[in-house]
Amino acid sequence: MGEVLGKVLVVDDDEVIRQLIAVNLTLEGFEVETATDGQDCLDRVLDVRPDVVTLDVMMPRLDGWVTATRLRTDEETRHIKVLLITARAQEEDKRRGLGLGVDAYLTKPFDPAELIRIVRELAAAGDRSAGLS
């Protein structure tokens, strides 16, 4: 078993998509935990301590927008890299996500190779910035 590339919390209410993302990232060498919606993510994020959170936008209870905002405004989670994954591809949505401080944006349906590339970059960037503090 090689070196773990980082820890990812995969948040999606669709089990098929959640498993697809989790399996792809696990095979790539990431340690992966999953959450079923934004509230589940917030309940678990401090225990999991991920480097990256992949966050679906359209979810029950707490959507990706609210979840990303809460992750960004909490001192203990604001350093975590956030990748928003959504079926909503409008520029306005991308601007909204970037305005909230999310680190990357991926539109469904997505290419798993693209997902892996983005998560790798975010995990590596988090690594470097962690050394600066």
Side-chain angles (χ1 to χ4, degrees), residues 112-128:
E114 178 75 355
L115 168 84
I116 289 164
R117 184 187 65 73
I118 293 170
V119 172
R120 268 178 170 270
E121 283 178 11
L122 293 177
D127 250 8
R128 285 195 297 276

Side-chain angles (χ1 to χ4, degrees), residues 29-89:
F30 287 95
E31 189 180 323
V32 178
E33 298 276 340
T34 60
T36 54
D37 62 34
Q39 188 59 56
D40 192 25
C41 167
L42 295 175
D43 291 345
R44 302 191 53 223
V45 71
L46 292 177
D47 290 331
V48 173
R49 299 221 168 264
D51 301 296
V52 179
V53 172
T54 70
L55 202 51
D56 183 32
V57 170
M58 307 304 278
M59 293 183 292
R61 290 208 297 170
L62 215 55
D63 69 20
W65 302 121
V66 176
T67 306
T69 301
R70 296 221 183 137
L71 289 170
R72 278 295 169 257
T73 53
D74 184 327
E75 194 63 46
E76 292 196 71
T77 58
R78 69 168 37 143
H79 66 282
I80 298 169
K81 300 294 182 190
V82 176
L83 166 59
L84 272 185
I85 300 178
T86 181
R88 298 170 55 117

